[in-house]
Amino acid sequence: MAVTRKLRAAIVGAGIVGAASAYFLSRAGFAVQMLDAAAPASGATGSADGAVSVASKRPGPMMEAAIRGVETYRDLHGAGIFEGVFKERSTFMLAQDAAEDAVLEAHAVALSGNGVELRLHREDALHRTVQNLSRAIRSAIEVRGEGHAIGYEVTSRLIAASGATVARGCRVNGFRTASRSGSLDALETSAGTIEADLVVLAAGGGSASLLGLASALRPRKGQLLVTERAPALNAGIRGSLMSCRYLMSKDSTETRMTGSGRRFGLVVDPLRTGQFLIGGTREETAERGTDADAVRRLLVEAVALVPRLREVRLLRTFAGVRTATADGRPLIGRVRGFDNVLVATGFEGDGICLGPLTGKIVSQLARGEPTAIDLSPFDPARFATQEQAA
Amino acid sequence: MRDPDVLVVGAGPAGISAAAELAAAGLSVLWIDQRDRPGGAIHRQPSAASTAIAFGPASVRNQWRRLHARFQGTGVSLTGETGFAGIDSDGVAILEQRHSGTTTCVRAKAIILAVGAVERVLPRPGWHLPGVCTAGGMQVMLKETGSPPRGRVLVAGNGPLTLALATQLAAAGNPPVAVLEASDPFRRPSHALALMRSPRLVGEALHYSTRVAFARIPWKRGRRVVAIESHGGALRVRSVAKNGYVETFDVEHIALHDGIRPNTFGLPEGEARPFIIRAGDCREALGAVAAEVDGKQAARRVIARLRGEPAPKPHPMLNAERRAQDTLASLFRPHGDAVPADLPDDTILCRCEGRTVGDLRTLLAAHPGISPREVKLNGRFAMGLCQGRFCADNVAALLEHGGETGPVSADALTGTRWPIRPIAIASLIRDADDPNSSTPQ
Ligand SMILES: Cc1cc2nc3c(=O)[nH]c(=O)nc-3n(C[C@H](O)[C@H](O)[C@H](O)COP(=O)(O)OP(=O)(O)OC[C@H]3O[C@@H](n4cnc5c(N)ncnc54)[C@H](O)[C@@H]3O)c2cc1C
Ligand SMILES: Cc1cc2nc3c(=O)[nH]c(=O)nc-3n(C[C@H](O)[C@H](O)[C@H](O)COP(=O)(O)OP(=O)(O)OC[C@H]3O[C@@H](n4cnc5c(N)ncnc54)[C@H](O)[C@@H]3O)c2cc1C
C-alpha cells in the first residue's frame, strides 16, 4: 500500500494571519511549519487594540468581510478555542456635535443596510446604558453583536491548537523555484533552505520585499495606552467607546479627514482585566516610539469622554505598525507567477478582526475550495507585481 | 520650567556630586528627586515630624557631611517631590510633580540618571503574605519614623544588608529574633582575607557584626527560608540548613533581602540626543563611596561632551571598589541556584497579577522555545503595576532553568519604556506651566 506523505505548508510570519492559516491548514491535513523573523505576535498583532468590529468598517467589501470575520470568532469561540479570549460586547459610536451626528447617521444607514443590529441611545437613556460617560455626549449608536480579542492571545491559542512547529528568529530572504515551472519548492532563510509544497506569505510589512511590492504596502504607526486596573469604572462601561473622529481618521466613512500629518481617532476600550485600552494615532512611519504630545492629547480626549479616567493611572504606552495598502483593502490570494504561493497581508487596522477568517480562506484556497467571501476586491494582482527573482 | 543644559535625576551620593560638579562648571542644571530632600538610600533624612536615629559607621556619616557641604557650596538646589517618568521618542523628559499634581516636559542637552539600586527578593512560598516586607522597606520605615515595627521580627536572605538592618532594629529597641543568612561567609576564609585589602569594608563589617553580637542576635548562616505560612495571626517561617536541619520561627514580621541590583527598569541610555548616562548604583552597584566618585565622573563626561572635548578617563578608584564588591559577593555567595528550580507550583512569582511558578511552567510546556516577550504577553509576567521590578529577574532565572533559551536577561521582559512607573492621568494632562488648562499645547 502506498504511504502518502502529508503536504508541507510553510507559513512566513507568525502574526494573527499566519497563526490562523496554520490552524486551518493543519486541520485540512497539512504538516505546518511557521517561520518568523522574530517571534509570534512580534509585529502589529502584538501591539494592537483588538476590536473585532463591524462598526468601524468602510461600507462595501470591508464591511461585508468584517461581518464574516466576527462570525468566525463566534465559531471558534463555540469550538472552545477562543474560550476566555474573545469578549462579546457592543461598540458605542459617540457624537459630540451636530456635524458628527450627521456623519454617524450616514454610517448607521450603511451598517443597518448590511443587516447589522443597531440601537440609538439619547440623553438620559444613553447615560443609563453607559455609565460614567460625560454629560456633554448627547447620543450614541450602539452596534451590537461584536467583540474584542487581544491579538497575541488569539495567536498563541491558534498556534497551540494547530500543533504547528514554530521557528523563531528565522527570516525568510527569498524563494527558490522548482524545476517544475510556476512553482516554488523552497524558501531561503536565515536558518538555511526550507522545502515546502505550499507557502503562505503572512509577513505583514515584511511581505513587501518578498513580493517586490514595496510601493503598494506602507507602514502606518499607531500609539496606544493601557491603564491600571479600575474594575468599578470598567464595569459601568458596557462596550468600546468610539468617537466619531475615529471613524473619520480611519477613512471608514465617506467624510475623509484631510492633511498628511498624524491623525487622532479616539477609542476607549474596557478590557476584561478591568484595565482600559486607549487609542490611537495613525502616522505615516515605521518608527515605534511613543511621544508625550500624542499621549497627552489622547488622554485629554479620553477624559473628555469619561471624566473619571482622571482617577486612574496610566500603566503603559506602546506603538504598533500597521501594514496599509493604497486602496485600504488587504491582499488575499495567489501570488502571480506561482501556483503554490498564497499571500495574505495589508490588513491595516483590521487584521485582528479579519485574521481568523483569512486563515480559513487561505486553507480553502490551498484545497481549491470555494472561499468564504468573494476575493476579487482583495486580489493581489491589482497592484503591479514585479517578477520574483529566483 | 526652563529647559536646562543638564537634567540630573536622583539626590543620593551620585546625583549630589554630579549636580554639584555641573553647577560648579557653570552649566544650568535641573536637579530632581522624587523625595523632598537630598540623601538617597543611604543618607535618607527622616521626615520633618520624626526624630533622627544616627545610623551607620563613621565613614557613612562623614560622607554625608562632605556631600552636604559640596552642594551647599555650589548653590545648586534640588527640585524635590518630582519623579522622572521617562523619556519619550522625541527625547523629551517627562517629570511628574507630586505636590501639585502636574506634569512637565523638559528638553535637556544631557541627562544623568542616578536613581540608585533596588533590592532583589527571591520568590519563596508565602512571600506575598501580609507581614512580609523587604529589608530595605523596613529600613526606610525605621529611618523615616524613627521607630521599629512592633512584635517579633525575623530578618532573612542574603548579603551584608541584613546585618545592617539587624543593627538598626536593635538600636531602635527591637532586635530581631534572628538573622538567617543563605551563604556561609565563615566557610570562605580566603575571601575573608581578600576583604582585608579594603580597610573601609572591613571597618563597616566590624561595625555591623560587633553590634549584632553585642545585641545577642543569632546570626544563622547557611540557612534558607523555604516556606512562610499564616499561623494564628502571626507568620510561621520554616528554614532549612545545609545539613537538612529544619528550624521554625513564629514572628509577626519577616524582612527579606537577597542583595541589590542597579535600578535600570525601563530606563533609556544612549549617545544620541539627549546624551543619557547612568551614574552610581544605577550604573553598577558599587556602594555609596563609589557612587560619589561615579557621579562626578558622569558630570565630567557630560561637560566634555557639551564642550566638544574628549571624554575623561574612568577613575581608577572605581576598579578598587569593584574588586572589593566582588570579594564581598564571593564571600556571601549562597550554594546552589539563587532561584531554586524546585519551587512549589503555587509559589507566587508576580505579585501584581498573582501569577505563579506553576503558571510559568504550564506556559513553557505548551510553547517550546517561547521567547521572553511571549512569556510576558501571554503569561502576564512583568505586566502588572510594578512593571517587572519584583519579578523580572526571577522569571528570567526560571526561564534559564527551562533550558531552551540560554541566558535570559530581565531587560528582555521589562524593556525601555515610559512611563517607567504608573503615572496619574490627572497629572499627566495638567501641565505645570499652565495648571489651569488640561489641554497640551
Ligand atoms: C495600534 C494598532 C491598533 C490596531 N487595532 C486593531 C483593532 O482594533 N482591530 C483590528 O482588527 N485590527 C487592529 N489592528 C491591526 C492588526 O493588528 C493587524 O492588521 C494585524 O495584526 C496584522 O496581522 P499580520 O499577521 O498580517 O501581521 P503582523 O502581526 O505584522 O505579523 C507579521 C509577522 O511576520 C514576521 N515577518 C516579517 N517579515 C518576515 C520575513 N521576511 N521572514 C519571516 N518572518 C517575517 C514578523 O516578525 C511578524 O511577526 C491594529 C494595529 C495597530 C498597530
Ligand atoms: C534598600 C537599600 C538599603 C541600603 N542600605 C545600605 C546600608 O545600610 N549601608 C550601606 O553602606 N549601603 C547601603 N545601601 C547601598 C547605598 O545606599 C548605595 O550604594 C548608595 O546610596 C548609592 O548611591 P546612589 O546615589 O547611586 O543612589 P541612591 O542613594 O539610591 O539615590 C537614588 C536617588 O534617586 C531617587 N530616585 C529614584 N528613582 C527616581 C525617579 N524615577 N525619579 C526621581 N527620583 C528618583 C531616589 O529617591 C534616591 O534619592 C543600600 C541600598 C539599598 C537599595
Side-chain angles (χ1 to χ4, degrees):
Chain A
M1 237 170 61
V3 180
T4 48
R5 102 179 142 76
K6 274 193 172 185
L7 290 174
R8 296 158 307 176
I11 299 179
V12 187
I16 191 168
V17 174
S21 303
Y23 172 76
F24 284 103
L25 283 172
S26 71
R27 283 176 47 111
F30 285 83
V32 182
Q33 180 171 25
M34 306 186 75
L35 316 171
D36 199 289
S42 58
T45 300
S47 308
D49 189 356
V52 178
S53 163
V54 180
S56 64
K57 302 298 176 283
R58 214 171 139 67
M62 287 304 278
M63 194 176 274
E64 288 153 27
I67 291 170
R68 306 304 298 275
V70 179
E71 276 171 22
T72 311
Y73 267 89
R74 269 203 216 98
D75 291 347
L76 290 168
H77 191 252
I81 290 160
F82 286 173
E83 186 61 48
V85 305
F86 177 54
K87 174 187 174 186
E88 290 221 40
R89 53 124 180 83
S90 297
T91 301
F92 294 87
M93 298 188 293
L94 310 176
Q96 282 169 291
D97 56 39
E100 292 190 356
D101 244 338
V103 172
L104 270 195
E105 217 161 281
H107 194 60
V109 171
L111 282 168
S112 57
N114 277 280
V116 176
E117 192 189 343
L118 303 178
R119 293 268 167 97
L120 176 66
H121 302 280
R122 283 194 189 285
E123 311 281 346
D124 286 349
L126 169 62
H127 294 279
R128 274 197 303 275
T129 310
V130 185
Q131 278 140 44
N132 301 306
L133 212 53
S134 159
R135 282 275 153 185
I137 294 156
R138 315 278 304 244
S139 71
I141 291 171
E142 176 182 358
V143 182
R144 313 193 93 188
E146 8 193 81
H148 191 267
I150 307 274
Y152 55 78
E153 292 182 351
V154 170
T155 300
S156 171
R157 285 289 176 89
L158 287 168
I159 293 175
S162 76
T165 59
V166 186
R168 292 170 173 80
C170 176
R171 173 174 294 280
V172 174
N173 297 315
F175 302 158
R176 194 180 77 191
T177 39
S179 38
R180 181 164 63 91
S181 72
S183 80
L184 181 155
D185 72 347
L187 295 168
E188 306 290 0
T189 80
S190 56
T193 304
I194 293 172
E195 294 186 352
D197 304 301
L198 172 76
V199 168
V200 180
L201 263 186
S207 314
S209 61
L210 289 169
L211 284 171
L213 276 183
S215 57
L217 298 176
R218 308 171 193 158
R220 186 166 293 153
K221 163 173 143 175
Q223 301 189 38
L224 293 176
L225 320 178
V226 176
T227 71
E228 66 180 325
R229 293 174 192 247
L233 184 60
N234 185 295
I237 298 178
R238 281 212 292 111
S240 144
L241 307 177
M242 189 176 283
S243 72
C244 180
R245 282 185 73 88
Y246 175 84
L247 295 176
M248 287 151 74
S249 79
K250 201 166 175 268
D251 284 345
S252 299
T253 63
E254 294 309 321
T255 322
R256 301 286 183 101
M257 304 242 290
T258 49
S260 61
R262 64 177 168 193
R263 292 171 288 173
F264 287 79
L266 186 70
V267 177
V268 176
D269 228 318
L271 300 180
R272 252 189 1 256
T273 52
Q275 296 172 292
F276 287 93
L277 207 152
I278 300 169
T281 63
R282 285 192 145 72
E283 307 170 53
E284 307 305 306
T285 170
E287 169 275 327
R288 284 178 70 167
T290 59
D291 63 274
D293 271 350
V295 170
R296 284 177 140 183
R297 177 157 167 191
L298 287 169
L299 288 174
V300 166
E301 290 185 8
V303 165
L305 284 193
V306 182
R308 284 189 53 201
L309 276 173
R310 287 175 166 284
E311 302 158 19
V312 178
R313 286 179 295 173
L314 174 66
L315 186 55
R316 257 193 298 282
T317 66
F318 59 92
V321 180
R322 311 170 182 94
T323 303
T325 59
D327 59 9
R329 295 195 302 266
L331 276 61
I332 310 173
R334 281 185 195 285
V335 173
R336 193 200 275 176
F338 297 103
D339 60 14
N340 62 343
V341 182
L342 302 173
V343 62
T345 187
F347 290 87
E348 215 267 8
D350 301 316
I352 304 301
C353 177
L354 300 181
L357 169 69
T358 303
K360 190 172 177 177
I361 293 171
V362 162
S363 101
Q364 288 166 337
L365 285 173
R367 306 219 305 172
E369 293 170 353
T371 53
I373 54 170
D374 169 24
L375 289 182
S376 53
F378 308 115
D379 186 357
R382 71 190 188 279
F383 297 108
T385 49
Q386 291 159 218
E387 276 302 303
Q388 188 61 45
Chain B
M1 212 176 267
R2 276 211 12 247
D3 287 340
D5 289 329
V6 189
L7 169 67
V8 177
V9 184
I16 294 174
S17 70
E21 191 74 12
L22 293 164
L27 292 173
S28 73
V29 182
L30 174 59
W31 179 33
I32 65 165
D33 198 291
Q34 63 202 5
R35 298 180 41 83
D36 62 352
R37 59 194 75 192
I42 188 162
H43 306 296
R44 182 178 285 262
Q45 303 303 301
S47 58
S50 68
T51 46
I53 312 176
F55 280 140
S59 59
V60 171
R61 279 171 279 146
N62 288 341
Q63 183 187 47
W64 176 238
R65 273 195 287 276
R66 192 165 65 236
L67 288 169
H68 196 261
R70 178 90 177 114
F71 74 80
Q72 295 244 307
T74 57
V76 61
S77 73
L78 179 70
T79 304
E81 292 184 72
T82 302
F84 172 73
I87 301 195
D88 81 355
S89 55
D90 292 337
V92 168
I94 294 119
L95 312 180
E96 185 186 16
Q97 282 115 333
R98 308 242 162 107
H99 55 286
S100 57
T102 56
T103 299
T104 308
C105 294
V106 299
R107 268 178 203 282
K109 297 188 185 109
I111 301 178
I112 296 179
L113 298 171
V115 294
V118 289
E119 280 183 290
R120 278 208 64 176
V121 182
L122 300 178
R124 298 168 172 93
W127 69 314
H128 56 285
L129 294 172
V132 182
C133 67
T134 68
M138 192 173 277
Q139 201 175 44
V140 166
M141 199 199 78
L142 253 178
K143 288 189 184 179
E144 288 194 346
T145 64
S147 50
R150 264 184 246 161
R152 293 160 296 177
V153 180
L154 180 68
V155 179
N158 175 229
L161 182 77
T162 55
L163 289 182
L165 174 63
T167 311
Q168 291 155 359
L169 284 168
N174 186 9
V177 297
V179 177
L180 308 184
E181 168 58 50
S183 69
D184 197 349
F186 287 0
R187 294 278 171 89
R188 301 182 194 268
S190 61
H191 296 300
L193 279 177
L195 195 62
M196 295 297 169
R197 285 201 292 271
S198 174
R200 205 193 65 255
L201 284 184
V202 171
E204 287 177 17
L206 280 175
H207 172 94
Y208 291 123
S209 51
T210 49
R211 275 165 180 74
V212 164
F214 278 143
R216 296 181 192 287
I217 303 166
W219 187 32
K220 302 190 176 220
R221 293 166 303 279
R223 292 293 184 94
R224 278 175 190 272
V225 168
V226 291
I228 305 170
E229 285 155 19
S230 313
H231 187 80
L235 295 171
R236 174 156 286 181
V237 180
R238 203 146 48 84
S239 75
V240 178
K242 256 197 291 191
N243 63 7
Y245 169 74
V246 176
E247 190 175 4
T248 302
F249 299 86
D250 288 323
V251 292
E252 274 68 43
H253 303 272
I254 175 167
L256 297 174
H257 172 87
D258 297 288
I260 62 174
R261 62 96 97 198
N263 174 17
T264 54
F265 298 105
L267 290 184
E269 187 174 30
E271 302 279 317
R273 272 158 50 102
F275 177 56
I276 304 169
I277 52 178
R278 300 175 185 168
D281 270 13
C282 93
R283 190 185 60 73
E284 188 178 1
L286 295 178
V289 174
E292 183 183 349
V293 172
D294 202 36
K296 192 169 182 170
Q297 275 288 121
R300 289 193 177 158
R301 271 182 69 195
V302 164
I303 294 164
R305 171 83 171 207
L306 296 184
R307 291 183 181 156
E309 292 163 2
K313 289 203 181 66
H315 200 289
M317 183 264 200
L318 292 179
N319 282 328
E321 290 295 323
R322 185 175 301 121
R323 274 196 303 276
Q325 290 295 335
D326 284 350
T327 307
L328 208 55
S330 0
L331 199 54
F332 279 93
R333 180 152 310 139
H335 59 103
D337 286 326
V339 182
D342 60 354
L343 280 174
D345 271 346
D346 60 357
T347 310
I348 297 279
L349 256 186
C350 157
R351 299 199 279 191
C352 302
E353 301 264 310
R355 308 291 292 161
T356 65
V357 172
D359 292 332
L360 181 61
R361 288 183 182 137
T362 307
L363 188 69
L364 298 183
H367 300 271
I370 190 170
S371 65
R373 185 168 184 274
E374 294 167 81
V375 168
K376 173 176 176 150
L377 295 178
N378 294 310
R380 294 193 72 78
F381 293 102
M383 285 276 271
L385 267 188
C386 87
Q387 299 272 282
R389 214 168 275 263
F390 279 103
C391 72
D393 281 318
N394 299 331
V395 173
L398 286 173
L399 287 179
E400 278 192 43
H401 289 321
E404 284 194 56
T405 36
V408 180
S409 98
D411 287 350
L413 291 159
T414 56
T416 298
R417 55 165 195 267
W418 82 271
I420 59 174
R421 268 181 271 180
I423 179 168
I425 290 177
S427 92
L428 199 45
I429 60 175
R430 279 183 77 215
D431 197 299
D433 296 326
D434 185 8
N436 294 326
S437 90
S438 65
T439 318
Q441 50 300 44

